[in-house]
Each structure stands twice: as structure tokens, then as C-alpha cells.
Amino acid sequence: LLTVNRFRRRRFAVAVSAPSKRVSPHPIAMSATDFTLWVIQCIVEFSIGLYVLDLISGIVHMHLDYQEVKSRKLRLHVENNIKDVIKFEKDDPLFYDATPNDQFLWNFHVHHDAPYPSLDSEWELMMQIVRPLSLPYLLSVGLCYMGYMPPTFARIWFGALTAGPLMQKTHFGAHARNHGVLTYNTWGGAVICFLQDYGVLLSPAVHKKHHEEFDCNFCIFNGWANPVVNQLRVAFSWTGWYPLEAPTTQARRERAEEAAAADKMGNPKGMDKLGSMKLKHRQTASAKY
């Protein structure tokens, strides 16, 4: 047993930290050529890890966006700012009597109508990612310990999982930039804005399209994987797995139709509630998202 345990520990250490055979494990002792290769290897693996993280964020975001709130009344209900969202979720039986799944999906979808600031604290946003990632992380550690994960793959995969809790930070950073909260005026803000402008972090301009059309640009870390996820969404809609119309677009269309019907029936109050407010929101949503 002692021999087996020592063998396993050795395999785990090799899987996590073993360098490529072509590169020396000690950068200080490398030749200039080997050091250059080591730097390139680090950059490539780091970039692939960020791409994998962005791809995961986009697939999860797309899937949740295309899940339907079963209660039609709740699905068509909308709030346009976080203060009203909090009040609605706390006081309105339409929300607190709904199923837990409908509550979760409505809370997720309302981000399209009340995008900033976040309803949850930064800690809770981070924990929303940590919780679902914890099981894959632990399973990956076990596979790596048993020696079933190649060293290069292990570094990329664990890099992506470790950076995962930051994806909501980069997401709301794009919204903060558009709302004038994040600017070049501070040192930290300047660094984040620079990374956004050069595509290392999620660009406000790239994510803005998602809040205008709702059927594309789902990735929320840096947007690198948007072309792949966008094509997946098209394929899923074509096969019938997802509806052709994004649920948020459908809900807005149905609200507009109800408002128009109420107007024809001579119900200006209904029009004010269901139509004018929503029309105003649609006209301003693209400017402040």
C-alpha cells in the first residue's frame, strides 16, 4: 500500500507540474531559446484556458436564457430596475408562490430588463459560480491524482476552473462601463477598461448586442467563444431543441400584443401598464444595458 500511495502521489505531482520535455523546468537555467519557448507555451496555455472558460460561460448562459418560465403571468411580468425587482420578489405572490424553478429563471431573465447593478452582492455572484464548479473541480483533482489527466491538459483545465469565479465580475464590468461607473479615471478602472478595449476581458460593445437581440453573444468572460456558441444556438434552434425566437423577445412581443389589444378595447390604463412603459424601456434598453 505504501508503494502504491507513493506511486500515485508521484503521478499526481507530474500531472500538475511536469513541464514539456522540450523545455527546462528551471527558467533561470534556460537558454534564451528555451526561455522563449517556455514563455510562448505559458501564453498559449493561458489563452486556451481563458477560451475554455469563456466557452463554458456562453453555453451555460445560452441554456438558461432559452429555458421557459412555465407560469405565463410571471413570464410576462417585467421590472425595469433593481429596486423594483427586489420589491416584487419580496412582496408579490406572483413571484413567491411560483415554483422554485420559475423563480430562478425569472430572476435570471430579468437581467435583460434590469441589467445593472446586480441584484446580488459580488460575493454571491462569485459563489453562484463556485457552487456548480466545485464538483467538476473535485472530480478533476481526483482524475489528476490518479494520473488520468495529461499535464498540458491539466494546466489548461485547472486554469479555466480556477478563473471561473471571476466571470460574473467581468460580465458586470461590461455593464459598469456602459453606465459610467467604470472609467479610465482610476488606476484600477484604467487597467480593466484597457483590457476590455483590447478584448482580454468582455467588451461592453460586444455584450451590448446580446442585450439588443438576446439570441447571440452569450459569453461573459471575454467573448472569444461567441462565434462558436452563436452557431450552436442557431443549430439548436434549427433542430427544434431551442425555439426560433429568444424567450425574452417572445415575452416582449406578447406584452406588446396584449397592450395593443387593451388599447383597442379602450383600456388606456392597461395600455399605460403593459404598453407605454414597455415601449419606453425598449427604446432605452440599447442605450443603457
Side-chain angles (χ1 to χ4, degrees), residues 59-87:
I59 291 174
V60 173
H61 186 182
M62 173 182 65
H63 181 70
L64 292 177
D65 267 6
Y66 272 78
Q67 299 307 296
E68 184 183 67
V69 176
K70 299 303 181 183
S71 169
R72 187 174 188 275
K73 285 187 176 180
L74 181 61
R75 183 171 71 250
L76 297 186
H77 184 85
V78 65
E79 300 293 348
N80 292 320
N81 60 72
I82 296 300
K83 181 180 179 180
D84 289 343
V85 170
I86 294 174
K87 186 176 187 302

Short mmCIF file of all heavy atoms in Angstrom, two decimals, residues 59-87:
data_model
loop_
_atom_site.label_atom_id
_atom_site.label_comp_id
_atom_site.label_asym_id
_atom_site.label_seq_id
_atom_site.Cartn_x
_atom_site.Cartn_y
_atom_site.Cartn_z
N ILE A 59 -22.10 28.70 -23.05
CA ILE A 59 -23.03 27.57 -23.17
C ILE A 59 -24.04 27.57 -22.03
O ILE A 59 -25.24 27.38 -22.23
CB ILE A 59 -22.24 26.25 -23.23
CG1 ILE A 59 -21.46 26.16 -24.54
CG2 ILE A 59 -23.19 25.05 -23.09
CD1 ILE A 59 -20.54 24.95 -24.63
N VAL A 60 -23.56 27.80 -20.81
CA VAL A 60 -24.45 27.83 -19.65
C VAL A 60 -25.44 29.01 -19.76
O VAL A 60 -26.65 28.85 -19.53
CB VAL A 60 -23.65 27.93 -18.34
CG1 VAL A 60 -24.58 28.15 -17.15
CG2 VAL A 60 -22.81 26.67 -18.14
N HIS A 61 -24.92 30.17 -20.12
CA HIS A 61 -25.77 31.36 -20.28
C HIS A 61 -26.83 31.13 -21.35
O HIS A 61 -28.02 31.43 -21.14
CB HIS A 61 -24.89 32.56 -20.64
CG HIS A 61 -25.62 33.86 -20.70
ND1 HIS A 61 -24.99 35.04 -21.04
CD2 HIS A 61 -26.92 34.18 -20.48
CE1 HIS A 61 -25.88 36.01 -21.03
NE2 HIS A 61 -27.05 35.52 -20.69
N MET A 62 -26.44 30.59 -22.48
CA MET A 62 -27.38 30.32 -23.57
C MET A 62 -28.48 29.36 -23.11
O MET A 62 -29.67 29.58 -23.36
CB MET A 62 -26.64 29.74 -24.77
CG MET A 62 -27.54 29.26 -25.89
SD MET A 62 -26.61 28.52 -27.26
CE MET A 62 -25.92 27.04 -26.45
N HIS A 63 -28.07 28.29 -22.42
CA HIS A 63 -29.05 27.29 -21.99
C HIS A 63 -30.08 27.89 -21.03
O HIS A 63 -31.28 27.64 -21.17
CB HIS A 63 -28.33 26.12 -21.33
CG HIS A 63 -29.25 25.03 -20.88
ND1 HIS A 63 -29.92 24.20 -21.76
CD2 HIS A 63 -29.62 24.63 -19.62
CE1 HIS A 63 -30.66 23.34 -21.08
NE2 HIS A 63 -30.49 23.59 -19.79
N LEU A 64 -29.61 28.68 -20.08
CA LEU A 64 -30.54 29.28 -19.11
C LEU A 64 -31.42 30.33 -19.76
O LEU A 64 -32.60 30.47 -19.42
CB LEU A 64 -29.75 29.88 -17.95
CG LEU A 64 -29.04 28.86 -17.04
CD1 LEU A 64 -28.24 29.58 -15.97
CD2 LEU A 64 -30.04 27.91 -16.40
N ASP A 65 -30.88 31.10 -20.70
CA ASP A 65 -31.69 32.10 -21.40
C ASP A 65 -32.83 31.46 -22.18
O ASP A 65 -33.89 32.07 -22.36
CB ASP A 65 -30.81 32.90 -22.37
CG ASP A 65 -30.26 34.17 -21.75
OD1 ASP A 65 -30.46 34.36 -20.52
OD2 ASP A 65 -29.63 34.96 -22.46
N TYR A 66 -32.62 30.24 -22.66
CA TYR A 66 -33.62 29.58 -23.50
C TYR A 66 -34.52 28.61 -22.73
O TYR A 66 -35.28 27.86 -23.34
CB TYR A 66 -32.94 28.87 -24.68
CG TYR A 66 -32.77 29.79 -25.86
CD1 TYR A 66 -31.74 30.74 -25.88
CD2 TYR A 66 -33.65 29.77 -26.94
CE1 TYR A 66 -31.59 31.62 -26.94
CE2 TYR A 66 -33.52 30.64 -28.01
CZ TYR A 66 -32.48 31.55 -28.01
OH TYR A 66 -32.34 32.44 -29.07
N GLN A 67 -34.45 28.65 -21.41
CA GLN A 67 -35.39 27.89 -20.61
C GLN A 67 -36.62 28.75 -20.34
O GLN A 67 -36.52 29.93 -20.06
CB GLN A 67 -34.75 27.46 -19.29
CG GLN A 67 -33.53 26.56 -19.47
CD GLN A 67 -33.80 25.38 -20.33
OE1 GLN A 67 -34.61 24.51 -19.99
NE2 GLN A 67 -33.13 25.30 -21.48
N GLU A 68 -37.79 28.15 -20.41
CA GLU A 68 -39.05 28.90 -20.32
C GLU A 68 -39.60 28.92 -18.91
O GLU A 68 -39.65 27.90 -18.23
CB GLU A 68 -40.08 28.29 -21.26
CG GLU A 68 -41.40 29.06 -21.30
CD GLU A 68 -42.43 28.38 -22.18
OE1 GLU A 68 -42.87 27.26 -21.82
OE2 GLU A 68 -42.77 28.93 -23.24
N VAL A 69 -40.02 30.09 -18.47
CA VAL A 69 -40.77 30.21 -17.22
C VAL A 69 -42.17 29.68 -17.49
O VAL A 69 -42.87 30.17 -18.36
CB VAL A 69 -40.82 31.68 -16.76
CG1 VAL A 69 -41.69 31.81 -15.51
CG2 VAL A 69 -39.42 32.21 -16.49
N LYS A 70 -42.59 28.65 -16.77
CA LYS A 70 -43.84 27.96 -17.08
C LYS A 70 -45.07 28.82 -16.80
O LYS A 70 -46.05 28.76 -17.54
CB LYS A 70 -43.92 26.66 -16.28
CG LYS A 70 -42.80 25.67 -16.57
CD LYS A 70 -42.74 25.32 -18.05
CE LYS A 70 -41.64 24.30 -18.33
NZ LYS A 70 -41.51 24.00 -19.77
N SER A 71 -45.01 29.61 -15.74
CA SER A 71 -46.14 30.49 -15.43
C SER A 71 -46.17 31.66 -16.42
O SER A 71 -45.24 32.46 -16.46
CB SER A 71 -46.02 31.03 -14.00
OG SER A 71 -46.94 32.07 -13.77
N ARG A 72 -47.22 31.73 -17.23
CA ARG A 72 -47.27 32.78 -18.25
C ARG A 72 -47.33 34.17 -17.63
O ARG A 72 -46.69 35.10 -18.10
CB ARG A 72 -48.49 32.57 -19.17
CG ARG A 72 -48.52 33.53 -20.36
CD ARG A 72 -49.63 33.20 -21.32
NE ARG A 72 -49.52 34.01 -22.52
CZ ARG A 72 -50.00 35.23 -22.65
NH1 ARG A 72 -50.65 35.80 -21.63
NH2 ARG A 72 -49.85 35.90 -23.78
N LYS A 73 -48.09 34.32 -16.54
CA LYS A 73 -48.19 35.63 -15.90
C LYS A 73 -46.82 36.08 -15.39
O LYS A 73 -46.43 37.24 -15.55
CB LYS A 73 -49.19 35.58 -14.74
CG LYS A 73 -50.65 35.56 -15.19
CD LYS A 73 -51.58 35.69 -14.00
CE LYS A 73 -53.03 35.75 -14.43
NZ LYS A 73 -53.95 35.89 -13.26
N LEU A 74 -46.10 35.16 -14.78
CA LEU A 74 -44.78 35.52 -14.28
C LEU A 74 -43.83 35.77 -15.44
O LEU A 74 -43.01 36.70 -15.39
CB LEU A 74 -44.23 34.40 -13.38
CG LEU A 74 -42.84 34.65 -12.77
CD1 LEU A 74 -42.87 35.89 -11.88
CD2 LEU A 74 -42.39 33.43 -11.96
N ARG A 75 -43.93 34.97 -16.49
CA ARG A 75 -43.04 35.14 -17.64
C ARG A 75 -43.21 36.51 -18.29
O ARG A 75 -42.24 37.12 -18.73
CB ARG A 75 -43.31 34.03 -18.66
CG ARG A 75 -42.39 34.08 -19.86
CD ARG A 75 -42.55 32.86 -20.75
NE ARG A 75 -43.80 32.83 -21.47
CZ ARG A 75 -44.81 32.00 -21.24
NH1 ARG A 75 -44.71 31.11 -20.26
NH2 ARG A 75 -45.91 32.04 -21.95
N LEU A 76 -44.44 37.01 -18.32
CA LEU A 76 -44.70 38.29 -18.97
C LEU A 76 -44.51 39.48 -18.03
O LEU A 76 -44.51 40.62 -18.48
CB LEU A 76 -46.11 38.32 -19.56
CG LEU A 76 -46.40 37.31 -20.67
CD1 LEU A 76 -47.78 37.54 -21.26
CD2 LEU A 76 -45.34 37.39 -21.76
N HIS A 77 -44.35 39.20 -16.75
CA HIS A 77 -44.13 40.31 -15.81
C HIS A 77 -42.71 40.83 -15.96
O HIS A 77 -41.76 40.07 -16.14
CB HIS A 77 -44.37 39.84 -14.37
CG HIS A 77 -44.26 40.95 -13.38
ND1 HIS A 77 -45.30 41.78 -13.07
CD2 HIS A 77 -43.19 41.38 -12.65
CE1 HIS A 77 -44.91 42.67 -12.18
NE2 HIS A 77 -43.63 42.45 -11.91
N VAL A 78 -42.58 42.14 -15.87
CA VAL A 78 -41.26 42.74 -16.04
C VAL A 78 -41.07 43.87 -15.04
O VAL A 78 -42.02 44.58 -14.69
CB VAL A 78 -41.06 43.26 -17.48
CG1 VAL A 78 -42.02 44.40 -17.79
CG2 VAL A 78 -39.62 43.70 -17.72
N GLU A 79 -39.85 44.02 -14.58
CA GLU A 79 -39.44 45.16 -13.77
C GLU A 79 -38.21 45.77 -14.43
O GLU A 79 -37.36 45.06 -14.96
CB GLU A 79 -39.11 44.74 -12.33
CG GLU A 79 -40.27 44.08 -11.58
CD GLU A 79 -41.42 45.04 -11.29
OE1 GLU A 79 -41.24 46.26 -11.47
OE2 GLU A 79 -42.49 44.56 -10.87
N ASN A 80 -38.12 47.11 -14.39
CA ASN A 80 -37.07 47.79 -15.15
C ASN A 80 -35.91 48.31 -14.31
O ASN A 80 -35.00 48.93 -14.85
CB ASN A 80 -37.68 48.95 -15.94
CG ASN A 80 -38.58 48.45 -17.05
OD1 ASN A 80 -38.27 47.46 -17.71
ND2 ASN A 80 -39.71 49.11 -17.27
N ASN A 81 -35.95 48.09 -13.01
CA ASN A 81 -34.81 48.49 -12.19
C ASN A 81 -34.70 47.55 -11.00
O ASN A 81 -35.66 46.86 -10.63
CB ASN A 81 -34.92 49.95 -11.72
CG ASN A 81 -36.16 50.21 -10.89
OD1 ASN A 81 -36.25 49.77 -9.74
ND2 ASN A 81 -37.15 50.89 -11.47
N ILE A 82 -33.52 47.50 -10.41
CA ILE A 82 -33.24 46.53 -9.36
C ILE A 82 -34.09 46.77 -8.12
O ILE A 82 -34.53 45.82 -7.46
CB ILE A 82 -31.74 46.57 -9.00
CG1 ILE A 82 -30.91 46.12 -10.20
CG2 ILE A 82 -31.45 45.68 -7.80
CD1 ILE A 82 -31.23 44.72 -10.67
N LYS A 83 -34.37 48.03 -7.80
CA LYS A 83 -35.20 48.33 -6.63
C LYS A 83 -36.58 47.70 -6.77
O LYS A 83 -37.10 47.09 -5.83
CB LYS A 83 -35.33 49.85 -6.46
CG LYS A 83 -36.15 50.27 -5.26
CD LYS A 83 -36.23 51.78 -5.14
CE LYS A 83 -37.09 52.19 -3.95
NZ LYS A 83 -37.18 53.67 -3.82
N ASP A 84 -37.17 47.80 -7.96
CA ASP A 84 -38.48 47.21 -8.19
C ASP A 84 -38.42 45.68 -8.24
O ASP A 84 -39.37 45.00 -7.84
CB ASP A 84 -39.08 47.74 -9.49
CG ASP A 84 -39.49 49.20 -9.39
OD1 ASP A 84 -39.62 49.70 -8.24
OD2 ASP A 84 -39.66 49.85 -10.44
N VAL A 85 -37.31 45.15 -8.74
CA VAL A 85 -37.14 43.69 -8.75
C VAL A 85 -37.13 43.15 -7.33
O VAL A 85 -37.80 42.15 -7.02
CB VAL A 85 -35.83 43.31 -9.47
CG1 VAL A 85 -35.52 41.81 -9.26
CG2 VAL A 85 -35.92 43.61 -10.96
N ILE A 86 -36.38 43.80 -6.44
CA ILE A 86 -36.31 43.36 -5.04
C ILE A 86 -37.69 43.42 -4.39
O ILE A 86 -38.11 42.48 -3.70
CB ILE A 86 -35.30 44.24 -4.27
CG1 ILE A 86 -33.89 44.02 -4.81
CG2 ILE A 86 -35.37 43.94 -2.78
CD1 ILE A 86 -32.86 44.95 -4.22
N LYS A 87 -38.41 44.51 -4.63
CA LYS A 87 -39.75 44.66 -4.04
C LYS A 87 -40.70 43.59 -4.57
O LYS A 87 -41.48 43.00 -3.82
CB LYS A 87 -40.29 46.06 -4.35
CG LYS A 87 -41.63 46.38 -3.68
CD LYS A 87 -42.04 47.82 -3.96
CE LYS A 87 -43.28 48.20 -3.16
NZ LYS A 87 -44.44 47.31 -3.45
#
